[in-house]
Amino acid sequence: MNKTIFLYVAWIIAILGTLGSWFFGEGSGLKPCPLCWYQRVCLFPLVPILGVAVYKNFVPIWQYVIYQIFAGMFFAIYQLLQDYMPGKQMFCGKAKACISKDVIAHIPFPFLSFIAFLSIFVCLLCAIFFQKKKKT
């Protein structure tokens, strides 16, 4: 299997996540909370970075984006867990709205964000695996 397929898929996931975030944030008028903005800060730069990695066929890009991906996953998990925190101490006043808004089949925004970051991470792991497998 070709390792560039996984780079393409990771790039497409980043593009779809960015477009979805823009659509719901700007097109639908749902103003993002600070935690949503932190997730956007982690996601949006992945589009050009992974795009260049696809163009150059540069699998070691994972070394440069891994912390960005983990930060995005952390903010998404933290936002999801706020609903279960005692006393409902929210990071921001609008965090509950982000958790309670369902996008597709009763799935909240932070969960979709987490799945996007996790999928990008898995795609990069697969690209690394198939790169090493090809060398041996």
Side-chain angles (χ1 to χ4, degrees), residues 6-112:
F6 296 107
L7 286 176
Y8 275 114
V9 172
W11 183 46
I12 288 172
I13 292 169
I15 290 172
L16 291 175
T18 299
L19 292 176
S21 177
W22 277 343
F23 173 75
F24 286 110
E26 307 304 325
S28 297
L30 294 172
K31 297 298 178 200
C33 69
L35 286 175
C36 290
W37 273 112
Y38 297 151
Q39 292 168 54
R40 286 178 171 201
V41 166
C42 295
L43 180 66
F44 289 0
L46 289 177
V47 174
I49 293 170
L50 291 175
V52 171
V54 167
Y55 178 72
K56 299 275 188 178
N57 196 15
F58 185 66
V59 173
I61 195 66
W62 72 269
Q63 299 170 353
Y64 304 102
V65 298
I66 192 75
Y67 300 109
Q68 190 174 342
I69 292 169
F70 284 156
M73 290 169 66
F74 169 77
F75 289 124
I77 291 286
Y78 181 72
Q79 191 173 8
L80 281 170
L81 290 178
Q82 279 188 344
D83 199 29
Y84 303 104
M85 289 183 180
K88 303 278 184 184
Q89 295 295 326
M90 297 296 177
F91 182 79
C92 67
K94 298 179 183 176
K96 180 67 176 167
C98 296
I99 294 170
S100 64
K101 297 289 183 194
D102 297 334
V103 182
I104 303 167
H106 305 292
I107 301 173
F109 285 115
F111 187 72
L112 288 176

